[in-house]
Amino acid sequence: MKQSLWGPLSALYAKIRGQQAPSQSLQISEARWKLALEGSNMGVWDWHLDTDLVYRSDQWHEIFGYSTGEVGATAQDGRTLIHPDDLEQAIQDIKDHLAGKTPIFTSEFRMRCKDGSWKWTLSRGMIVSTDTRGRPLRLIGTHTDISEQKRSEAEMLRLAHYDPITDLPNRILFLDRFEQEIRKAQRHRRSLALMFIDLDRFKEINDTLGHDTGDRLLQESGLRLLECVRATDTVARLGGDEFTILLTNLEDMGHVDRVAQTIIDTIAQPFQFGDEMVYITASIGITLYPHDATGMEILVKNADQAMYAAKNNGRNGYHYFTPSMQAAAFLRMRTANDLRKAVQLGQIQVHYQPIVELATGRVSKAEALVRWAHPERGLVYPGEFIAVAEDTGLITTIGDEVFAQAARQTALWRQAFPGFQMTVNKSPAQFRNNEREQSHWLELLDALGLPGESIVVEITEGLLLDAHAQTIRKLESFHDVGMRIAIDDFGTGYSSLAYLKKFEIDYLKIDQSFTANLHPESDNLAICEAVVVMAHKLGIQVIAEGVETEAQRDLLLKAGCDYAQGFLFSHPLPASEFEGRFFPTR
Ligand code: C2E
Ligand code: CA
Ligand code: CA
């Protein structure tokens, strides 16, 4: 707006300057341009330097709420209305113009209004006449009220630098401050600590309780974090459920531990939202300047890796950066890159481990376990890439591939052994993905002429606990076609009976850790027996994992366990070997 008005104004000035010498014609045109400007929202001023007198238009007075003539007639009188913080710059701007350094005088400052409030004003003007020696005699210019523009500029600045949900500095402002703090620390030879704080399982809460609750949880968490640090430290929200804290002026390193532990404890306190109690924990990664690194980018990476380590350590804790994390992070990155191509290049293979009916010794099921035939690393086991696949979302493609291979294998094996069942692992990350893959699995069964009951999907207890609508829908659609559901690693998680009933679970797989130390009279045996009794009451069958010895098998059989799986019977095998050993008649 002000730019477009400035165009014609400029042209007018040019005209005036072009007619400089004959002062009568100047006077004639004066009436015209004053009239033109009065019609705009600008106030006009006309300053005669020899007398220091200023003509100010009616509109000029109106902007600031004064009646015409109320402001003293000199330029100095006008100057007294300028905000003291802006005065120096305004005077410099006019000096620069008078000295010929700027073609147009431009200055922004606050002016005091009649009612005592301040208005941001844009003043523009130029010399319109000089004496014979070229010294300026007269300036004409305008005042425009730019308060609204200043307000929206401030708002834009706020939006650009602060997170709208928590009002904490956002990534941009955080990095800016971090840079400053590094410079300060360098100058004063001080240490800094950078913390990455991630709320554990926030996504599940957000999905289950809704985004309003999620937002409130973020706000509350932000406030709690602020309470854990000093006023000079910075708390920021980087996005999602990730916060950062910058601890400055560190003298004793014990302080970092104390703050980290306080944060863990504070976040773990229940959040009360209306009738709802929400529980959450935090994982914290910590890196130190200059101990770990001096560059901002590397420090940020370090803190992220340390947080990853804290998460892997079972969450709800903090972890300092160590150089070995860098190597681990590098391997993860390489794995992720290679994994992207693995499916296309046919490197994903499936091995099958027999599941034995304990009472008869018959192999009636097999678990499909993924293997990655890496061109350089050889056969890579899931422990080395499933987590990366989950983090990168590649698990969906890989899971689809495993399912496709396993389903085809099932179709073949069922021709010889009609009741044969294949169990397939499905991680929570796969349930979180879209519906596509779901229908894809069912279509494939259809195409292969496989009944649903030929497939058992292995899920973890955690999935049921955090279950949101999408997960439940997917489980139900499995049930609808007759597919079976097994709880993997049973006993290592929450082991909620209510959930087993609610989700119509078909099998429990007792975790290897229970099978491992199975002796007569051992606690583990008591647990296995109890699980079997309970499961059977609920109409659920039990599969023991990790059976390595005959003694273990015998104890499990005696405990009433239905199936067993483990190295005693066989390691997981490629399909052809599996066939050779367990289906020799084919
Ligand atoms: P899991 O589902 O608990 O699979 C059983 C793991 O125990 C397998 O390891 C298997 O080789 C191993 N195992 C079998 N019998 C014994 C035994 O007697 N003693 C011992 N110590 N171990 C035994 P693997 O193949 O390395 O798989 C590891 C994990 O990777 C699996 O644990 C499963 O959670 C995951 N996984 C494997 N394949 C897939 C897949 O296709 N999709 C997904 N999402 N996860 C998979
Ligand atoms: Ca499994
Ligand atoms: Ca397992």
Side-chain angles (χ1 to χ4, degrees):
M1 182 72 171
K2 79 179 186 269
Q3 241 69 23
S4 63
L5 275 169
W6 184 248
L9 187 62
S10 241
L12 268 168
Y13 286 159
K15 233 182 187 167
I16 294 163
R17 294 187 93 180
Q19 305 167 340
Q20 238 174 39
S23 67
Q24 305 96 307
S25 51
L26 201 146
Q27 269 157 20
I28 295 165
S29 61
E30 217 169 70
R32 286 193 200 135
W33 63 255
K34 273 184 185 162
L35 203 67
L37 291 171
E38 291 293 280
S40 73
N41 61 350
M42 296 170 176
V44 176
W45 51 264
D46 180 349
W47 178 22
H48 295 257
L49 275 88
D50 47 355
T51 56
D52 200 36
L53 288 176
V54 183
Y55 157 81
R56 301 186 184 91
S57 68
D58 292 346
Q59 179 75 30
W60 188 99
H61 289 86
E62 233 166 78
I63 291 176
F64 305 108
Y66 298 103
S67 39
T68 304
E70 199 172 347
V71 177
T74 64
Q76 179 52 37
D77 292 327
R79 247 172 250 143
T80 59
L81 299 179
I82 296 180
H83 195 288
D85 291 351
D86 306 336
L87 187 59
E88 194 181 326
Q89 184 60 48
I91 290 174
Q92 190 58 50
D93 291 337
I94 198 84
K95 274 189 185 158
D96 285 349
H97 183 65
L98 292 176
K101 287 187 195 162
T102 52
I104 294 167
F105 157 69
T106 306
S107 195
E108 288 182 6
F109 43 78
R110 280 158 290 181
M111 291 276 282
R112 195 174 59 242
C113 302
K114 174 105 186 250
D115 63 8
S117 64
W118 296 96
K119 253 188 188 165
W120 271 104
T121 309
L122 169 71
S123 183
R124 306 197 73 177
M126 68 193 339
I127 300 164
V128 291
S129 68
T130 52
D131 66 12
T132 47
R133 289 156 65 189
R135 282 183 306 208
L137 281 178
R138 185 176 174 200
L139 273 82
I140 296 180
T142 58
H143 269 176
T144 316
D145 176 4
I146 55 166
S147 305
E148 201 44 58
Q149 181 197 335
K150 280 283 175 188
R151 251 193 300 280
S152 62
E153 268 173 24
E155 178 62 12
M156 298 269 277
L157 207 67
R158 206 184 63 79
L159 284 178
H161 289 111
Y162 287 86
D163 161 46
I165 292 180
T166 59
D167 255 339
L168 292 172
N170 66 9
R171 179 184 294 270
I172 295 169
L173 182 55
F174 169 74
L175 291 177
D176 200 54
R177 289 213 189 145
F178 192 17
E179 207 172 2
Q180 286 173 21
E181 289 299 340
I182 287 180
R183 262 190 256 123
K184 254 198 251 168
Q186 204 170 16
R187 251 183 283 127
H188 300 110
R189 298 185 182 283
R190 284 238 167 93
S191 293
L192 293 176
L194 171 67
M195 292 183 171
F196 264 38
I197 299 140
D198 192 283
L199 301 180
D200 303 322
R201 304 186 204 280
F202 173 76
K203 196 182 173 325
E204 275 87 349
I205 292 185
N206 206 30
D207 290 348
T208 337
L209 300 179
H211 291 234
D212 286 347
T213 307
D215 285 357
R216 287 188 61 192
L217 190 60
L218 290 173
Q219 284 161 2
E220 278 287 322
S221 302
L223 291 175
R224 289 190 188 184
L225 290 178
L226 283 171
E227 283 168 19
C228 298
V229 300
R230 296 172 298 194
T232 46
D233 300 327
T234 297
V235 178
R237 176 170 174 241
L238 291 199
D241 53 351
E242 258 190 24
F243 294 87
T244 53
I245 289 184
L246 202 56
L247 300 179
T248 55
N249 287 334
L250 288 182
E251 267 142 27
D252 94 273
M253 289 299 154
H255 177 67
V256 182
D257 282 303
R258 286 192 295 276
V259 171
Q261 193 53 55
T262 311
I263 292 172
I264 301 278
D265 297 342
T266 310
I267 295 293
Q269 298 295 316
F271 292 81
Q272 178 90 48
F273 298 136
D275 300 337
E276 200 111 48
M277 284 275 244
V278 180
Y279 293 86
I280 200 157
T281 54
S283 296
I284 308 178
I286 308 170
T287 190
L288 303 171
Y289 167 97
H291 180 273
D292 298 330
T294 50
M296 183 167 81
E297 249 172 76
I298 299 180
L299 286 164
V300 166
K301 258 194 211 136
N302 287 355
D304 193 39
Q305 288 164 11
M307 192 199 49
Y308 197 89
K311 287 236 179 245
N312 274 355
N313 255 7
R315 305 185 163 98
N316 195 23
Y318 63 96
H319 209 300
Y320 282 91
F321 170 79
T322 63
S324 66
M325 283 174 196
Q326 233 151 10
F330 182 74
L331 181 66
R332 271 203 306 277
M333 199 181 71
R334 223 191 63 184
T335 302
N337 280 339
D338 292 355
L339 205 51
R340 258 176 259 284
K341 294 167 276 180
V343 175
Q344 283 169 343
L345 296 177
Q347 295 168 356
I348 297 300
Q349 302 179 353
V350 182
H351 284 189
Y352 302 91
Q353 189 176 34
I355 298 174
V356 176
E357 237 174 58
L358 274 171
T360 61
R362 212 169 67 97
V363 172
S364 59
K365 309 181 198 309
E367 177 171 5
L369 293 159
V370 66
R371 303 289 179 257
W372 178 13
H374 192 282
E376 290 140 38
R377 291 160 68 185
L379 205 61
V380 184
Y381 285 79
E384 290 182 55
F385 66 89
I386 289 289
V388 173
E390 288 173 348
D391 285 353
T392 51
L394 290 166
I395 189 68
T396 308
T397 328
I398 292 169
D400 284 358
E401 174 64 18
V402 170
F403 182 76
Q405 291 188 27
R408 267 182 246 123
Q409 205 57 63
T410 312
L412 287 176
W413 287 345
R414 275 176 75 92
Q415 286 171 10
F417 299 91
F420 192 82
Q421 270 185 326
M422 186 68 80
T423 82
V424 182
N425 294 282
K426 189 162 177 175
S427 45
Q430 287 169 271
F431 279 92
R432 254 179 257 135
N433 280 319
N434 53 31
E435 309 282 314
R436 177 187 62 85
E437 157 227 17
Q438 190 85 352
S439 50
H440 191 71
W441 285 28
L442 303 182
E443 277 162 25
L444 186 62
L445 286 188
D446 241 16
L448 291 167
L450 278 175
E453 81 239 20
S454 58
I455 302 292
V456 182
V457 180
E458 297 194 8
I459 59 172
T460 54
E461 293 166 79
L463 182 76
L464 299 186
L465 271 192
D466 298 331
H468 28 92
Q470 190 169 269
T471 305
I472 295 167
R473 245 196 338 271
K474 287 187 176 184
L475 283 175
E476 276 169 356
S477 77
F478 282 155
H479 263 304
D480 289 347
V481 298
M483 281 162 79
R484 308 290 195 245
I485 310 287
I487 302 290
D488 208 351
D489 308 334
F490 186 75
T492 56
Y494 306 91
S495 314
S496 156
L497 291 179
Y499 281 103
L500 297 182
K501 186 109 191 84
K502 181 169 161 204
F503 291 103
E504 300 176 65
I505 299 305
D506 302 285
Y507 298 100
L508 288 188
K509 296 190 79 174
I510 298 183
D511 189 62
Q512 316 193 344
S513 55
F514 295 101
T515 318
N517 295 304
L518 213 54
H519 309 292
E521 318 284 317
S522 63
D523 283 352
N524 278 352
L525 182 60
I527 292 173
C528 288
E529 285 168 349
V531 168
V532 170
V533 170
M534 171 206 79
H536 286 174
K537 279 234 159 79
L538 293 172
I540 298 172
Q541 291 196 300
V542 181
I543 304 171
E545 292 191 290
V547 179
E548 296 182 350
T549 67
E550 291 183 356
Q552 289 167 352
R553 180 197 56 193
D554 295 345
L555 286 171
L556 288 161
L557 179 62
K558 240 177 79 192
C561 184
D562 304 282
Y563 300 91
Q565 174 183 356
F567 296 163
L568 172 66
F569 310 103
S570 168
H571 280 79
L573 300 170
S576 56
E577 278 182 52
F578 187 98
E579 261 178 34
R581 275 189 60 185
F582 300 104
F583 305 145
T585 48
R586 260 177 60 89

